[in-house]
């Protein structure tokens, strides 16, 4: 697994690298936002450890740009910051980060967070190779998604979190998922932010999968409870 460390403090970057490489990860380092974008394109990492406060482009902008131009891999993003305010956590997750770790942190906690993120894709892929309905196909092994609203399939450009959100909803069509259940599936037990961040990601997903996001046909709100996915079964 390739990990890109984006950190302008060289001592912290070296500590991260010295912590992760003995665990079997291949690490690359970028010291500022522009270098991070370049390194992302060059190395196609499986996961990015991204500092929030960077010279040039800050971590939020780097995260947003990476999500707008995914390459062969759509990496998980673990955001680091010295800030502990909840609003920064919510903004980071809303921008497309998958998890959030506040400095100072222990090396053991860092490794646990990294492994938890990387296990998500392996666990999703091991359950079922495909999710298919009349209007959608998700290939869990290749991490690709397509929508069928016309005669030809339309590839969906989803972030890793959006893909996992849609995969979770499609895994049990018609089941209603509460915000806390979705948080547990997407972020795990380490999430301590506002549950309303789920609404932000659902809104972003709807913009990509619905013909009219203001009148959702597939990702529906169950008022006072949560969200569910509704579609007809795929034709045999």
């Amino acid at each position: 697994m390739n990990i890109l460390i984006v950190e302008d403090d060289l001592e912290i970057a070296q500590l991260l690298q010295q912590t992760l490489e003995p665990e079997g990860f291949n690490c690359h380092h970028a010291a500022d936002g522009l270098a991070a974008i370049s390194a992302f394109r060059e190395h196609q990492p499986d996961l990015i450890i991204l500092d929030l406060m960077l010279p040039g482009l800050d971590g939020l902008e780097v995260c947003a740009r990476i999500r707008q131009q995914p390459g062969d891999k759509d990496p998980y993003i673990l955001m680091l910051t010295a800030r502990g305010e909840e609003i920064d956590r919510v903004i980071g997750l809303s921008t497309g980060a998958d998890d959030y770790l506040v400095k100072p942190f222990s090396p053991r906690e860092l490794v646990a967070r990294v492994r938890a993120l990387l296990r998500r894709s392996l666990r999703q892929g091991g359950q079922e190779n495909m999710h298919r309905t009349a209007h959608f196909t998700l290939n869990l092994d290749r991490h690709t998604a397509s929508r069928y609203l016309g005669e030809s399939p339309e590839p969906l450009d989803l972030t890793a979190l959006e893909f996992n959100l849609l995969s979770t909803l499609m895994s049990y069509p018609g089941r209603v998922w509460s915000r806390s259940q979705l948080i547990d599936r997407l972020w795990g037990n380490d999430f301590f932010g506002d549950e309303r961040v789920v609404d932000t990601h659902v809104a972003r997903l709807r913009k990509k999968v619905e013909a009219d996001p203001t009148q959702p046909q597939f990702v529906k709100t169950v008022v006072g409870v949560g969200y569910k996915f509704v579609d007809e079964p795929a034709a045999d």
Side-chain angles (χ1 to χ4, degrees):
M1 292 285 186
N2 290 318
I3 295 179
L4 173 61
I5 298 169
V6 185
E7 171 62 66
D8 62 321
D9 187 318
L10 185 57
E11 290 186 4
I12 294 178
Q14 289 176 339
L15 173 62
L16 293 171
Q17 193 163 345
Q18 291 166 3
T19 298
L20 293 167
E21 287 187 340
E23 299 291 329
F25 298 108
N26 183 33
C27 296
H28 304 277
H29 174 236
D32 59 64
L34 290 175
I37 300 297
S38 177
F40 160 69
R41 293 170 179 160
E42 178 181 357
H43 300 295
Q44 291 295 299
D46 300 281
L47 182 142
I48 299 174
I49 298 175
L50 178 61
D51 189 28
L52 179 61
M53 303 301 292
L54 293 169
L57 302 177
D58 66 17
L60 294 177
E61 181 64 23
V62 172
C63 183
R65 292 195 184 191
I66 286 174
R67 291 308 189 207
Q68 290 168 2
Q69 52 175 10
D72 295 335
K73 294 180 180 177
D74 190 8
Y76 289 102
I77 296 179
L78 173 62
M79 190 164 281
L80 302 180
T81 181
R83 302 180 184 181
E85 293 89 346
E86 183 176 297
I87 187 62
D88 294 319
R89 184 193 306 269
V90 172
I91 291 173
L93 295 173
S94 299
T95 306
D98 297 287
D99 201 359
Y100 199 99
L101 190 57
V102 178
K103 302 174 186 176
F105 50 83
S106 70
R108 179 178 296 181
E109 181 181 12
L110 171 71
V111 172
R113 293 287 190 96
V114 167
R115 291 198 181 280
L117 283 172
L118 293 174
R119 275 200 305 269
R120 289 179 192 171
S121 59
L122 298 176
R123 191 162 57 239
Q124 293 276 356
Q127 290 178 349
E128 183 180 358
N129 289 332
M130 304 282 288
H131 289 324
R132 296 182 64 241
T133 64
H135 295 93
F136 295 92
T137 297
L138 265 65
N139 186 313
L140 303 182
D141 293 331
R142 298 184 181 182
H143 221 260
T144 59
S146 298
R147 178 179 66 175
Y148 299 81
L149 296 184
E151 295 183 359
S152 302
E154 173 190 354
L156 295 174
D157 184 14
L158 304 178
T159 68
L161 194 146
E162 290 164 354
F163 184 93
N164 288 337
L165 173 57
L166 182 57
S167 173
T168 298
L169 294 172
M170 288 184 65
S171 65
Y172 297 96
R175 170 180 170 172
V176 180
W177 295 80
S178 68
R179 292 184 183 88
S180 61
Q181 288 172 328
L182 290 173
I183 285 172
D184 184 61
R185 287 291 294 264
L186 300 175
W187 288 284
N189 296 328
D190 296 322
F191 180 84
F192 299 103
D194 188 338
E195 287 188 350
R196 293 287 176 177
V197 73
V198 173
D199 302 343
T200 299
H201 288 289
V202 168
R204 291 175 54 173
L205 178 64
R206 282 173 170 163
K207 290 180 180 179
K208 297 182 179 182
V209 305
E210 302 283 359
D212 181 1
T214 64
Q215 299 290 329
Q217 177 184 354
F218 305 109
V219 181
K220 292 186 172 289
T221 300
V222 180
V223 178
V225 184
Y227 298 97
K228 66 178 180 179
F229 177 84
V230 178
D231 195 10
E232 301 169 4
D236 295 332

